[in-house]
Amino acid sequence: MRRPSVGIIGAGPAGLTAAYLLAKQGCRVDVWEADLTYVGGISRTVVHKGFRFDIGGHRFFSKSGEVEAFWSEILGDDMLTRDRLSRIFYDGKFYNYPLEASEVVRNLGKRESLLSVVSYLTKKLFPTHQPANLEEWVTNKFGYRLYAKFFKSYTEKVWGVPCSEIAADWAAQRIKGLSLTRAALAAFWSPPATEAGSDRSKVIKSLIGSFRYPRLGPGMMWEATAERVRALGGQVTLGARVTQLTRMDGAADETVDGRADRAANGAAQGQKLAGWQLEVEGPGLGGAGLEAGTRTYDQIICSAPLSWLVRSIRPSLPPEALAAAAALKYRDFITVAVMLKSSTAFPDHWIYIHDPDIRAGRIQNFANWSPEMVPDPTITCLGLEYFCFEGDDLWAMADDDLIALAARELVTLGLAGNEAIVNGAVVRQPKAYPIYDDTYKTHIQSIRAALTSAGEGLQVVGRNGMHKYNNQDHSMMTAMLAAKNILNDQPIYDAWNVNQDAEYIEATGKVTDEATP
């Protein structure tokens, strides 16, 4: 049986997961990635003068045994196990996270702690029924006083809008299963459940005590996956941008890079071929010995932003779908990596900054993720994360000014003295976070209907491909299901039914992460 040819748009976790699984089964796979330097998407690892840093910190922990097995297969012993240490900075004090009751009382004071408990109990007795936004949902869970201290400032810094304008879906998804009681219990006991194959069904992902991490950062995982795809005969091309997708609807097939195997097979069987054509261009094509132009495939998997995909399909999708795509919103992101000889190096992997006067939202200490991220142990590499909108004052700020801002804020927080900055680097990441506003669900429904009517052989996967603010294990699971649909030559699985924990929800309501036919 001839395996289908597959064009994959985007070499992030979703795109490369699908590519590897399909290439292992003998499919001809081409992956097109717009970035000229890195694979991995937002899970890449940037290298600057020997220093390695993430675009955000990326824990490798999943409730899916299938995802964990994939990571082990690709990197094996290069996956380190790390005992988590993270804290919250609020009102000039640090709080361990998961929260420790004695520390909260000590930092807040007995009076404020008592008022917070009363606020919590009051909300439990008089909750807001059917909360419409994040503020109402979190207040129901924790009471208003704890919400105001430990959720409001940071969340509004991340999203750039009031919590009252963020859909409750976001909280229900990202804080799934977490309650004040469980957070307090986690301070005294946290189930280990970190070994591959262990039962993780009851673990709250935001409270895990340990996780795995690639020795050279998350990009190591996806660089190794890309190399495996190439070793299996697949193509992963960087600096190659897809500009248009055209549905063929049974038209005569064309060759791909001079190969006519698909057309020959179809003609021999008397089939009227259908498929998709991709228009590809970009500076990476020449270096790979390729030319810009049209490529033809049986199947397409797209992890590029959903808003881009909708406007790039030909024939054009209906006006209502185009309007829905244009209405989707994103939050953008800047990482400022600062290298300095600090006398106040902190032990955390990351710290959440719940101070509205500090513009950074989170700070990573990359040497604590893996010592090999930093080539000189006398130099600390800290990553300050700034959440912004493309084109705003932060986004438009010169790199040197951003590095200077980061240095000042480290001093203000007491995380650095007045040491000279040895080096610095800035990475701007557009469309880092799909926004869940009060209209996004309606837009997604319209887009899904339009994509279904566009024709067979096109699947969307991953965070931006599905406009879902989920982690890389979720992205990988959607790609695994897309690959299984292709290998079975029928849409057995609906990737939209994968939940935040990378669990596939069957139509019957049954949950499984081993979605093998």
Side-chain angles (χ1 to χ4, degrees):
M1 176 181 174
R2 181 185 68 83
R3 289 297 195 186
S5 59
V6 185
I8 298 177
I9 304 173
L16 287 174
T17 296
Y20 177 58
L21 296 176
L22 290 167
K24 283 178 68 175
Q25 297 300 319
C27 294
R28 183 175 64 77
V29 174
D30 293 342
V31 183
W32 305 105
E33 169 56 50
D35 194 296
L36 188 59
T37 307
Y38 297 104
V39 298
I42 199 171
S43 294
R44 67 190 182 276
T45 300
V46 175
V47 182
H48 177 78
K49 297 187 177 181
F51 291 88
R52 305 175 69 89
F53 57 91
D54 301 357
I55 311 305
H58 294 276
R59 294 173 294 168
F60 283 68
F61 177 91
S62 180
K63 293 187 177 184
S64 166
E66 197 169 357
V67 169
E68 289 280 356
F70 184 103
W71 291 333
S72 296
E73 178 180 347
I74 298 298
L75 286 187
D77 291 340
D78 281 322
M79 292 292 283
L80 309 176
T81 297
R82 287 288 174 259
D83 291 329
R84 166 183 174 164
L85 178 59
S86 61
R87 287 182 293 173
I88 294 170
F89 181 84
Y90 168 74
D91 196 24
K93 298 183 178 69
F94 288 96
Y95 296 78
N96 286 321
Y97 188 79
L99 297 173
E100 294 181 0
S102 60
E103 182 182 60
V104 170
V105 172
R106 182 171 64 252
N107 284 350
L108 290 181
K110 293 181 179 179
R111 180 178 182 278
E112 182 58 34
S113 298
L114 179 60
L115 290 173
S116 296
V117 170
V118 171
S119 173
Y120 166 74
L121 294 175
T122 299
K123 205 61 186 177
K124 286 301 176 186
L125 291 172
F126 305 102
T128 300
H129 297 290
Q130 297 182 333
N133 56 57
L134 185 145
E135 179 171 300
E136 293 177 352
W137 194 96
V138 177
T139 300
N140 268 359
K141 277 275 188 178
F142 299 96
Y144 185 82
R145 297 185 82 92
L146 287 177
Y147 153 76
K149 290 174 176 59
F150 296 114
F151 290 93
K152 184 178 183 347
S153 173
Y154 179 77
T155 303
E156 292 183 351
K157 188 182 297 187
V158 171
W159 295 106
V161 295
C163 290
S164 58
E165 296 179 15
I166 301 173
D169 292 10
W170 181 90
Q173 184 171 279
R174 298 298 291 186
I175 318 175
K176 178 184 175 184
L178 179 61
S179 68
L180 184 60
T181 302
R182 299 192 77 161
L185 286 174
F188 301 99
W189 178 80
S190 181
T194 55
E195 296 300 322
S198 61
D199 180 13
R200 303 171 175 219
S201 60
K202 304 301 182 184
V203 176
I204 305 302
K205 291 175 75 173
S206 61
L207 299 180
I208 60 170
S210 63
F211 55 89
R212 294 198 291 169
Y213 186 77
R215 180 173 55 83
L216 296 176
M220 184 184 191
M221 175 67 69
W222 305 114
E223 290 157 11
T225 304
E227 286 307 309
R228 292 210 182 195
V229 171
R230 293 182 179 115
L232 290 166
Q235 176 179 288
V236 181
T237 306
L238 303 185
R241 184 177 297 279
V242 174
T243 60
Q244 185 172 290
L245 303 82
T246 302
R247 173 66 183 173
M248 292 171 60
D249 285 332
D253 195 23
E254 297 182 11
T255 63
V256 180
D257 298 335
R259 290 172 286 183
D261 54 333
R262 179 173 177 268
N265 275 311
Q269 298 172 27
Q271 296 174 348
K272 188 176 182 182
L273 297 174
W276 291 83
Q277 289 182 339
L278 300 186
E279 293 289 338
V280 186
E281 62 181 37
L285 293 173
L290 304 172
E291 295 182 357
T294 301
R295 269 70 174 178
T296 303
Y297 302 96
D298 299 305
Q299 299 273 345
I300 299 295
I301 294 176
C302 182
S303 64
L306 195 57
S307 56
W308 168 86
L309 174 65
V310 169
R311 67 174 182 268
S312 301
I313 291 176
R314 301 291 181 272
S316 294
L317 296 182
E320 55 270 24
L322 295 173
L328 293 178
K329 299 175 183 176
Y330 301 85
R331 187 69 162 157
D332 308 300
F333 179 84
I334 299 172
T335 291
V336 182
V338 176
M339 301 83 175
L340 69 163
K341 288 184 179 290
S342 176
S343 59
T344 55
F346 56 88
D348 308 73
H349 293 97
W350 68 93
I351 296 174
Y352 300 103
I353 309 301
H354 288 228
D355 185 335
D357 294 328
I358 299 293
R359 299 199 70 176
R362 190 170 55 181
I363 301 175
Q364 309 284 343
N365 190 342
F366 295 110
N368 292 341
W369 290 79
S370 170
E372 294 188 53
M373 301 287 280
V374 178
D376 184 344
T378 68
I379 297 177
T380 299
C381 180
L382 305 178
L384 286 83
E385 301 173 5
Y386 293 90
F387 306 96
C388 57
F389 290 112
E390 190 171 352
D392 69 11
D393 67 317
L394 272 175
W395 187 270
M397 194 178 293
D399 287 3
D400 287 346
D401 292 336
L402 281 167
I403 293 169
L405 170 65
R408 290 195 303 272
E409 295 199 327
L410 286 173
V411 173
T412 300
L413 292 166
L415 299 177
N418 292 310
E419 300 90 349
I421 301 297
V422 175
N423 218 309
V426 174
V427 176
R428 292 170 176 81
Q429 179 65 47
K431 294 182 172 59
Y433 303 110
I435 289 179
Y436 287 16
D437 58 18
D438 57 1
T439 61
Y440 91 100
K441 269 189 174 180
T442 301
H443 299 322
I444 294 299
Q445 289 171 355
S446 176
I447 290 168
R448 287 181 63 182
L451 291 177
T452 299
S453 66
E456 298 178 353
L458 171 63
Q459 298 182 83
V460 293
V461 295
R463 176 184 284 200
N464 274 337
M466 306 179 80
H467 202 79
K468 284 193 173 187
Y469 178 39
N470 283 328
N471 297 321
Q472 67 176 335
D473 62 334
H474 171 276
S475 296
M476 292 172 65
M477 181 55 68
T478 62
M480 290 173 173
L481 299 184
K484 289 170 183 175
N485 287 338
I486 290 173
L487 294 173
N488 284 279
D489 197 29
Q490 56 182 312
I492 297 174
Y493 303 105
D494 183 354
W496 292 94
N497 289 340
V498 176
N499 70 10
Q500 190 268 339
D501 287 325
E503 299 165 321
Y504 181 67
I505 311 299
E506 301 278 9
T508 60
K510 179 183 177 182
V511 177
T512 176
D513 64 12
E514 299 292 344
T516 304

